[in-house]
Amino acid sequence: LLHFKVIERHDARHAAAIEQRLAVRAVVEEKRLVVIAFAEVAAQDREHTVFRFDLRAEYAVKVGKAGEAAELLDLARKLPHGLEQRQIGVVAQAREQRRAHAVRRNNSAHSWMLDNILRWNHTFNKIHKLDLTLLFNLEKNETWSDKAENSNLTPSEVLGWHAVANGTNPVVGSDDTVDTGNAMMARLNYNLMDRYLFTASFRRDGYSAFGSNNPYANFPAFAFGWRMNEENFMKAISWIDNLKLRLSWGINGNRSIGRYAALANLDSEKYLHNGSTVIGIYATRLPNENLKWEKTEAYNIGFDFAILGNRLNGTVEAYYMSTKDLLLTRSLPDIIGFSGVTTNLGEVRNKGFELS
């Protein structure tokens, strides 16, 4: 079964700018296979275009069915199994012209993310329910830009950016950036008689912006839930409709730093040497090969309740959080030659009580 649909198409013309958007979504369903594809092209004006692409494939497997494994392996050779991919590309070009002066700029940004997800669930003896999720993730973000600029164009300023090289004050600049990340995760949920709920997860993340000694970090988590109103000793209390106890502990991370915060940065400066202009290189930032993830450890206890025929419901929460190895810029004495360095500093604790 194939569904193919143009979601949106819009044209708007205003002040020499044209906005066009074309989005297409296709869905293919066959047995327990579902493939969803989404593509979009948006022309914001004559010089800016945005591309988006999304592909997802899911396949449901019934364990124990004869030939199912062979069928799945054959399918994996034809389609990406458990794949979710996003790619965004932005291409921009700006042009500017004024009296005997011209400049051309080009900018591009590309991002993609790949999630491979495997899910398995099973119920046995009618009271034990298991749900397992495995994840492998890859991502990459990349940008680049360049600029060519000049003034006093010859033989005529009318040439504009068609003759950027024909000037007396050339300026050339460029910038390229890239960062990558990956992650692995496993999560197991166990449900006993729809009364006792257990969750355990483990995630390992890596990010290229951290120091070469600590690009990876581990993030475990555990949770327990108890539906107390399902117990026999609570059924006699008719005005309590729901009462659930929740306990949890876990660690998560923060990677909000610049792409190259852990690396030294070099810049250039022109100066005269023996009557000639030469380019000198100097450092503007200190490296930190030991820069690592900022981590927050959290404890939580809570109650969910509903009483009087669900007329009144709410949540009571108590929590404690400790954030260590904060990502900060440490100030340095001027005599060193650098104003600061990105490092891990300090600890912040939060605790509180919430009623809603």
Side-chain angles (χ1 to χ4, degrees):
L1 179 62
L2 173 64
H3 308 282
F4 185 80
K5 181 180 181 182
V6 176
I7 297 177
E8 178 184 6
R9 183 180 179 92
H10 176 66
D11 295 348
R13 301 173 182 270
H14 53 88
I18 301 175
E19 180 179 347
Q20 296 180 336
R21 185 177 299 272
L22 175 62
V24 178
R25 182 176 184 267
V27 180
V28 179
E29 299 181 25
E30 180 181 358
K31 297 181 180 178
R32 292 185 301 279
L33 169 66
V34 179
V35 179
I36 301 175
F38 176 83
E40 181 183 49
V41 180
Q44 297 174 346
D45 52 46
R46 287 191 174 91
E47 297 174 348
H48 296 77
T49 305
V50 179
F51 305 93
R52 293 186 178 91
F53 176 72
D54 203 316
L55 173 65
R56 179 183 301 172
E58 297 180 358
Y59 189 78
V61 178
K62 289 186 177 180
V63 178
K65 183 178 178 181
E68 189 71 26
E71 180 182 350
L72 179 60
L73 290 175
D74 182 64
L75 175 68
R77 298 187 184 99
K78 301 177 182 178
L79 287 172
H81 176 239
L83 170 67
E84 182 176 352
Q85 176 178 324
R86 295 182 177 90
Q87 179 169 334
I88 301 174
V90 180
V91 180
Q93 184 181 76
R95 300 167 181 171
E96 177 184 341
Q97 180 180 346
R98 59 181 184 272
R99 300 176 56 188
H101 178 271
V103 57
R104 170 176 283 179
R105 300 182 181 92
N106 292 283
N107 304 279
S108 181
H110 303 275
S111 299
W112 60 262
M113 178 179 293
L114 177 67
D115 287 330
N116 286 287
I117 301 173
L118 177 64
R119 295 187 180 96
W120 173 82
N121 57 72
H122 184 63
T123 300
F124 54 96
N125 294 338
K126 297 183 180 181
I127 62 172
H128 302 280
K129 297 179 181 179
L130 289 175
D131 188 294
L132 176 66
T133 301
L134 301 176
L135 164 72
F136 180 73
N137 165 273
L138 290 172
E139 63 173 298
K140 185 176 183 180
N141 304 287
E142 189 174 14
T143 67
W144 64 263
S145 64
D146 57 61
K147 180 181 73 170
E149 183 177 359
N150 215 333
S151 57
N152 299 325
L153 304 179
T154 58
S156 171
E157 64 183 46
V158 176
L159 293 174
W161 46 265
H162 294 284
V164 176
N166 299 345
T168 58
N169 298 302
V171 176
V172 178
S174 64
D175 184 40
D176 284 54
T177 65
V178 60
D179 66 83
T180 60
N182 60 57
M184 294 171 285
M185 188 274 294
R187 182 178 65 236
L188 178 64
N189 294 323
Y190 173 59
N191 182 329
L192 177 60
M193 298 185 295
D194 287 328
R195 189 179 306 169
Y196 309 105
L197 312 173
F198 300 87
T199 299
S201 67
F202 182 84
R203 183 177 177 115
R204 181 172 174 82
D205 282 75
Y207 187 46
S208 62
F210 289 106
S212 57
N213 293 335
N214 299 292
Y216 287 90
N218 301 321
F219 305 102
F222 300 94
F224 168 72
W226 179 21
R227 291 174 175 156
M228 302 173 64
N229 60 295
E230 296 294 329
E231 298 288 353
N232 292 329
F233 64 85
M234 294 290 295
K235 294 189 180 297
I237 309 176
S238 59
W239 53 274
I240 296 181
D241 302 293
N242 179 48
L243 185 60
K244 181 181 178 181
L245 168 67
R246 292 180 287 104
L247 300 171
S248 65
W249 169 86
I251 299 176
N252 58 36
N254 174 29
R255 68 176 199 180
S256 299
I257 56 174
R259 285 184 169 103
Y260 306 116
L263 301 179
N265 187 68
L266 299 178
D267 208 341
S268 62
E269 187 71 31
K270 294 181 180 179
Y271 65 96
L272 291 175
H273 179 69
N274 295 331
S276 301
T277 301
V278 297
I279 298 178
I281 303 296
Y282 63 97
T284 60
R285 182 175 60 220
L286 280 176
N288 183 358
E289 61 184 10
N290 295 315
L291 188 65
K292 58 186 178 181
W293 287 75
E294 175 184 309
K295 292 185 177 181
T296 298
E297 183 178 14
Y299 299 84
N300 181 278
I301 180 172
F303 284 94
D304 300 328
F305 64 88
I307 59 176
L308 303 177
N310 289 312
R311 292 184 178 87
L312 177 63
N313 59 75
T315 300
V316 180
E317 303 257 3
Y319 64 89
Y320 173 84
M321 295 188 297
S322 175
T323 303
K324 299 179 180 180
D325 299 321
L326 280 76
L327 296 169
L328 298 171
T329 299
R330 179 177 182 177
S331 298
L332 299 175
D334 293 338
I335 192 174
I336 295 179
F338 299 91
S339 59
V341 60
T342 303
T343 188
N344 299 100
L345 283 176
E347 179 180 358
V348 175
R349 297 189 182 97
N350 295 280
K351 57 184 177 180
F353 177 83
E354 295 181 1
L355 175 63
S356 61

